[in-house]
Amino acid sequence: MAGEAAVEVVAPAPANGAGACCHAAKGPGYATPLEAMEKGPREKLIYVTCVYNGTGINKPDFLATVDLDPASPTYSQVIHRLPVTHIGDELHHSGWNSCSSCHGDPSAKRRYLILPSLLSGRVYVVDTATDPRAPSLHKVVEAEDIAEKTGLGFPHTSHCLASGEIMISCLGDTEGNASGNGFLLLDSEFNVKGRWEKPGHNPLFGYDYWYQPRHKTMISSSWGAPATFRSGFDLRHVQDGLYGRHLHVYDWPGGELKQTLDLGETGLLPLEVRFLHDPSKDTGYVGCALTSNMVRFFKTADGSWSHEVAISIKPLKVRNWILPEMPGLITDFVLSLDDRYLYLVNWLHGDIRQYNIEDPAKPVLAGQVWVGGLLQKGSDVVYVTDDDKEEQYNVPQIKVDVDTEKGGLTINPNFFVDFGAEPDGPALAHEMRKACTCELGERDGDLDGDFGLVLVEQADGTEELVHDDGKGGLERKAT
């Protein structure tokens, strides 16, 4: 969301490090998600988009490189910062130029990181291959070029396609009207190619999207009109219909809008959308921020799509806040590569949850840990228990025993990256991507993931990274 303090989660990879993931006769990534789990090495570098827009610091956003190698002398440090060219861009989600959608194409290389800028409309292309520890700016796709050829503005989510093209969801037209939203296509040289969806088949609102090629389906979610949210969130605008509550089901790759799912009052502000990684599966989830529900979508016997609430986070009674009850506010989630676990973040409450989803219709809470939020000790806000006592959470506070095979959480004190201590002032760290030194890739559709860490921004503006051990355990990395 524009100007929000964000949480981004990245799915786990195993620690066995078996084999290299660059194949001389293959394209980037792996043939299947399970092959990625078996052969994927642990990350040694990650790239983190860091935002200054809305913080009062008059500096460009930047891409931070973080050292994740425990054997390195710069472990747990930001080792490089690449500022973008303008102030006020607001970098959001990122994506690679090439992924496992291109696994069968040996000419495809996962070299460039795509950085859409939500507010300015620019798209930055960053070269991460020449020097993975110090990425450089390769190209800027200017907003004026995008607008002239497509009418689109407010780019958000970027995915690589099997064709070699880049597809980016755009949340509105250049004036911020939701009616002008749609999907931008860039060619393999990052030139504006046009719009992906068929004329007249743009969604009601735009945000995230995910595709499952074997089911010939893409599903997109809906946030709100840019002209509404860029000036700050107002609950009355939800009642006025200026924010979304729908999923949009498209024919893939044809771009025809086939079905619109109204999630109703239980599905307000559906944001991140994820299919299961198994490309044969016809189910997935969307996190509905305002109502704090995880909604499962699935294909029915007649070939249409339906939905149901799979996880519901109850609001907490609070004092000293803007409302008498505080929703969890699910901001992001990911699925483990074997589709056993779902990890979600309640940004306002400040907890990370781990659910077993081996039965996708009946998730079971397997782990929970508090790492921030508005209810931690020292905050003015308190939650009210059933017997009218005022309470706050210690950070960290563990709610379950540790069990790395069946699920559970633990504390690890050895890793901490504080983006609140950046040289130019506290930055809002938004999303992460694993360095492509081994071309660790994505699934048939687009795994859109780099493995092992959870980025948490706390209520005071600082961030920390939380580690997933890849076996169903979750560790809080802190000092």
Side-chain angles (χ1 to χ4, degrees), residues 45-63:
L45 297 172
I46 55 168
Y47 305 122
V48 183
T49 53
C50 296
V51 178
Y52 275 129
N53 185 60
T55 66
I57 297 173
N58 195 35
K59 295 282 186 178
D61 300 342
F62 64 95
L63 184 71

PDB file of all heavy atoms in Angstrom, residues 45-63:
ATOM      1  N   LEU A  45      22.860 -13.826  -0.722  1.00  0.00           N
ATOM      2  CA  LEU A  45      22.560 -12.405  -0.854  1.00  0.00           C
ATOM      3  C   LEU A  45      21.072 -12.247  -1.105  1.00  0.00           C
ATOM      4  O   LEU A  45      20.445 -13.093  -1.748  1.00  0.00           O
ATOM      5  CB  LEU A  45      23.309 -11.783  -2.043  1.00  0.00           C
ATOM      6  CG  LEU A  45      24.830 -11.755  -2.030  1.00  0.00           C
ATOM      7  CD1 LEU A  45      25.333 -11.274  -3.395  1.00  0.00           C
ATOM      8  CD2 LEU A  45      25.341 -10.830  -0.924  1.00  0.00           C
ATOM      9  N   ILE A  46      20.504 -11.166  -0.601  1.00  0.00           N
ATOM     10  CA  ILE A  46      19.159 -10.789  -1.001  1.00  0.00           C
ATOM     11  C   ILE A  46      19.133  -9.306  -1.331  1.00  0.00           C
ATOM     12  O   ILE A  46      19.971  -8.533  -0.848  1.00  0.00           O
ATOM     13  CB  ILE A  46      18.083 -11.079   0.073  1.00  0.00           C
ATOM     14  CG1 ILE A  46      18.439 -10.408   1.400  1.00  0.00           C
ATOM     15  CG2 ILE A  46      17.813 -12.550   0.215  1.00  0.00           C
ATOM     16  CD1 ILE A  46      17.301 -10.404   2.384  1.00  0.00           C
ATOM     17  N   TYR A  47      18.161  -8.931  -2.153  1.00  0.00           N
ATOM     18  CA  TYR A  47      17.934  -7.541  -2.520  1.00  0.00           C
ATOM     19  C   TYR A  47      16.617  -7.086  -1.899  1.00  0.00           C
ATOM     20  O   TYR A  47      15.602  -7.776  -2.001  1.00  0.00           O
ATOM     21  CB  TYR A  47      17.879  -7.392  -4.038  1.00  0.00           C
ATOM     22  CG  TYR A  47      19.105  -7.935  -4.734  1.00  0.00           C
ATOM     23  CD1 TYR A  47      18.997  -8.936  -5.694  1.00  0.00           C
ATOM     24  CD2 TYR A  47      20.377  -7.460  -4.409  1.00  0.00           C
ATOM     25  CE1 TYR A  47      20.124  -9.440  -6.320  1.00  0.00           C
ATOM     26  CE2 TYR A  47      21.510  -7.964  -5.029  1.00  0.00           C
ATOM     27  CZ  TYR A  47      21.380  -8.960  -5.982  1.00  0.00           C
ATOM     28  OH  TYR A  47      22.503  -9.473  -6.587  1.00  0.00           O
ATOM     29  N   VAL A  48      16.648  -5.938  -1.257  1.00  0.00           N
ATOM     30  CA  VAL A  48      15.500  -5.429  -0.525  1.00  0.00           C
ATOM     31  C   VAL A  48      15.151  -4.041  -1.059  1.00  0.00           C
ATOM     32  O   VAL A  48      16.005  -3.149  -1.081  1.00  0.00           O
ATOM     33  CB  VAL A  48      15.790  -5.337   0.988  1.00  0.00           C
ATOM     34  CG1 VAL A  48      14.548  -4.877   1.741  1.00  0.00           C
ATOM     35  CG2 VAL A  48      16.279  -6.678   1.524  1.00  0.00           C
ATOM     36  N   THR A  49      13.907  -3.857  -1.514  1.00  0.00           N
ATOM     37  CA  THR A  49      13.463  -2.525  -1.923  1.00  0.00           C
ATOM     38  C   THR A  49      13.190  -1.690  -0.677  1.00  0.00           C
ATOM     39  O   THR A  49      12.482  -2.118   0.235  1.00  0.00           O
ATOM     40  CB  THR A  49      12.201  -2.604  -2.785  1.00  0.00           C
ATOM     41  OG1 THR A  49      11.198  -3.373  -2.105  1.00  0.00           O
ATOM     42  CG2 THR A  49      12.496  -3.234  -4.126  1.00  0.00           C
ATOM     43  N   CYS A  50      13.758  -0.491  -0.646  1.00  0.00           N
ATOM     44  CA  CYS A  50      13.671   0.384   0.529  1.00  0.00           C
ATOM     45  C   CYS A  50      13.090   1.731   0.104  1.00  0.00           C
ATOM     46  O   CYS A  50      13.573   2.361  -0.846  1.00  0.00           O
ATOM     47  CB  CYS A  50      15.045   0.576   1.156  1.00  0.00           C
ATOM     48  SG  CYS A  50      15.754  -0.961   1.822  1.00  0.00           S
ATOM     49  N   VAL A  51      12.061   2.170   0.821  1.00  0.00           N
ATOM     50  CA  VAL A  51      11.266   3.324   0.424  1.00  0.00           C
ATOM     51  C   VAL A  51      11.486   4.485   1.387  1.00  0.00           C
ATOM     52  O   VAL A  51      11.439   4.305   2.609  1.00  0.00           O
ATOM     53  CB  VAL A  51       9.766   2.945   0.380  1.00  0.00           C
ATOM     54  CG1 VAL A  51       8.911   4.154   0.012  1.00  0.00           C
ATOM     55  CG2 VAL A  51       9.527   1.795  -0.590  1.00  0.00           C
ATOM     56  N   TYR A  52      11.711   5.678   0.827  1.00  0.00           N
ATOM     57  CA  TYR A  52      11.754   6.901   1.626  1.00  0.00           C
ATOM     58  C   TYR A  52      10.500   7.751   1.444  1.00  0.00           C
ATOM     59  O   TYR A  52      10.252   8.660   2.239  1.00  0.00           O
ATOM     60  CB  TYR A  52      12.985   7.736   1.264  1.00  0.00           C
ATOM     61  CG  TYR A  52      14.226   7.311   2.019  1.00  0.00           C
ATOM     62  CD1 TYR A  52      15.412   7.050   1.352  1.00  0.00           C
ATOM     63  CD2 TYR A  52      14.195   7.151   3.400  1.00  0.00           C
ATOM     64  CE1 TYR A  52      16.554   6.661   2.043  1.00  0.00           C
ATOM     65  CE2 TYR A  52      15.332   6.754   4.099  1.00  0.00           C
ATOM     66  CZ  TYR A  52      16.503   6.516   3.416  1.00  0.00           C
ATOM     67  OH  TYR A  52      17.619   6.120   4.119  1.00  0.00           O
ATOM     68  N   ASN A  53       9.747   7.471   0.398  1.00  0.00           N
ATOM     69  CA  ASN A  53       8.542   8.260   0.177  1.00  0.00           C
ATOM     70  C   ASN A  53       7.610   8.155   1.381  1.00  0.00           C
ATOM     71  O   ASN A  53       7.317   7.067   1.869  1.00  0.00           O
ATOM     72  CB  ASN A  53       7.817   7.762  -1.080  1.00  0.00           C
ATOM     73  CG  ASN A  53       6.633   8.634  -1.425  1.00  0.00           C
ATOM     74  OD1 ASN A  53       6.770   9.823  -1.674  1.00  0.00           O
ATOM     75  ND2 ASN A  53       5.450   8.044  -1.423  1.00  0.00           N
ATOM     76  N   GLY A  54       7.146   9.299   1.865  1.00  0.00           N
ATOM     77  CA  GLY A  54       6.235   9.313   3.004  1.00  0.00           C
ATOM     78  C   GLY A  54       6.910   9.325   4.357  1.00  0.00           C
ATOM     79  O   GLY A  54       6.231   9.391   5.384  1.00  0.00           O
ATOM     80  N   THR A  55       8.233   9.285   4.396  1.00  0.00           N
ATOM     81  CA  THR A  55       8.942   9.269   5.681  1.00  0.00           C
ATOM     82  C   THR A  55       9.407  10.655   6.111  1.00  0.00           C
ATOM     83  O   THR A  55       9.889  10.812   7.233  1.00  0.00           O
ATOM     84  CB  THR A  55      10.188   8.355   5.601  1.00  0.00           C
ATOM     85  OG1 THR A  55      11.135   8.928   4.689  1.00  0.00           O
ATOM     86  CG2 THR A  55       9.808   6.955   5.136  1.00  0.00           C
ATOM     87  N   GLY A  56       9.318  11.643   5.218  1.00  0.00           N
ATOM     88  CA  GLY A  56       9.860  12.971   5.507  1.00  0.00           C
ATOM     89  C   GLY A  56      11.313  13.127   5.110  1.00  0.00           C
ATOM     90  O   GLY A  56      11.889  14.207   5.252  1.00  0.00           O
ATOM     91  N   ILE A  57      11.922  12.036   4.609  1.00  0.00           N
ATOM     92  CA  ILE A  57      13.313  12.085   4.149  1.00  0.00           C
ATOM     93  C   ILE A  57      13.311  12.297   2.641  1.00  0.00           C
ATOM     94  O   ILE A  57      12.761  11.486   1.889  1.00  0.00           O
ATOM     95  CB  ILE A  57      14.059  10.790   4.518  1.00  0.00           C
ATOM     96  CG1 ILE A  57      14.118  10.652   6.042  1.00  0.00           C
ATOM     97  CG2 ILE A  57      15.466  10.782   3.929  1.00  0.00           C
ATOM     98  CD1 ILE A  57      14.679   9.333   6.520  1.00  0.00           C
ATOM     99  N   ASN A  58      13.894  13.384   2.193  1.00  0.00           N
ATOM    100  CA  ASN A  58      13.856  13.775   0.794  1.00  0.00           C
ATOM    101  C   ASN A  58      14.995  13.122   0.013  1.00  0.00           C
ATOM    102  O   ASN A  58      15.923  13.777  -0.457  1.00  0.00           O
ATOM    103  CB  ASN A  58      13.924  15.302   0.681  1.00  0.00           C
ATOM    104  CG  ASN A  58      13.517  15.800  -0.693  1.00  0.00           C
ATOM    105  OD1 ASN A  58      12.626  15.226  -1.325  1.00  0.00           O
ATOM    106  ND2 ASN A  58      14.158  16.858  -1.153  1.00  0.00           N
ATOM    107  N   LYS A  59      14.912  11.809  -0.102  1.00  0.00           N
ATOM    108  CA  LYS A  59      15.926  11.015  -0.788  1.00  0.00           C
ATOM    109  C   LYS A  59      15.242  10.018  -1.718  1.00  0.00           C
ATOM    110  O   LYS A  59      14.094   9.612  -1.493  1.00  0.00           O
ATOM    111  CB  LYS A  59      16.787  10.244   0.222  1.00  0.00           C
ATOM    112  CG  LYS A  59      17.630  11.122   1.135  1.00  0.00           C
ATOM    113  CD  LYS A  59      18.857  11.635   0.417  1.00  0.00           C
ATOM    114  CE  LYS A  59      19.789  12.383   1.362  1.00  0.00           C
ATOM    115  NZ  LYS A  59      21.024  12.849   0.670  1.00  0.00           N
ATOM    116  N   PRO A  60      15.940   9.578  -2.768  1.00  0.00           N
ATOM    117  CA  PRO A  60      15.369   8.537  -3.619  1.00  0.00           C
ATOM    118  C   PRO A  60      15.258   7.210  -2.864  1.00  0.00           C
ATOM    119  O   PRO A  60      16.048   6.918  -1.963  1.00  0.00           O
ATOM    120  CB  PRO A  60      16.372   8.418  -4.776  1.00  0.00           C
ATOM    121  CG  PRO A  60      17.215   9.637  -4.703  1.00  0.00           C
ATOM    122  CD  PRO A  60      17.242  10.056  -3.274  1.00  0.00           C
ATOM    123  N   ASP A  61      14.280   6.401  -3.241  1.00  0.00           N
ATOM    124  CA  ASP A  61      14.230   5.025  -2.761  1.00  0.00           C
ATOM    125  C   ASP A  61      15.486   4.296  -3.242  1.00  0.00           C
ATOM    126  O   ASP A  61      16.176   4.753  -4.164  1.00  0.00           O
ATOM    127  CB  ASP A  61      12.996   4.321  -3.304  1.00  0.00           C
ATOM    128  CG  ASP A  61      11.695   4.995  -2.879  1.00  0.00           C
ATOM    129  OD1 ASP A  61      11.715   5.782  -1.916  1.00  0.00           O
ATOM    130  OD2 ASP A  61      10.671   4.733  -3.533  1.00  0.00           O
ATOM    131  N   PHE A  62      15.771   3.146  -2.652  1.00  0.00           N
ATOM    132  CA  PHE A  62      16.976   2.424  -3.052  1.00  0.00           C
ATOM    133  C   PHE A  62      16.778   0.923  -2.937  1.00  0.00           C
ATOM    134  O   PHE A  62      15.854   0.443  -2.263  1.00  0.00           O
ATOM    135  CB  PHE A  62      18.192   2.878  -2.241  1.00  0.00           C
ATOM    136  CG  PHE A  62      18.118   2.603  -0.759  1.00  0.00           C
ATOM    137  CD1 PHE A  62      18.695   1.462  -0.217  1.00  0.00           C
ATOM    138  CD2 PHE A  62      17.498   3.502   0.107  1.00  0.00           C
ATOM    139  CE1 PHE A  62      18.656   1.208   1.149  1.00  0.00           C
ATOM    140  CE2 PHE A  62      17.455   3.265   1.472  1.00  0.00           C
ATOM    141  CZ  PHE A  62      18.026   2.113   1.998  1.00  0.00           C
ATOM    142  N   LEU A  63      17.664   0.202  -3.614  1.00  0.00           N
ATOM    143  CA  LEU A  63      17.712  -1.254  -3.515  1.00  0.00           C
ATOM    144  C   LEU A  63      18.903  -1.617  -2.646  1.00  0.00           C
ATOM    145  O   LEU A  63      20.046  -1.307  -2.983  1.00  0.00           O
ATOM    146  CB  LEU A  63      17.848  -1.880  -4.898  1.00  0.00           C
ATOM    147  CG  LEU A  63      17.812  -3.411  -4.932  1.00  0.00           C
ATOM    148  CD1 LEU A  63      16.405  -3.918  -4.623  1.00  0.00           C
ATOM    149  CD2 LEU A  63      18.273  -3.935  -6.302  1.00  0.00           C
TER     150      LEU A  63
END
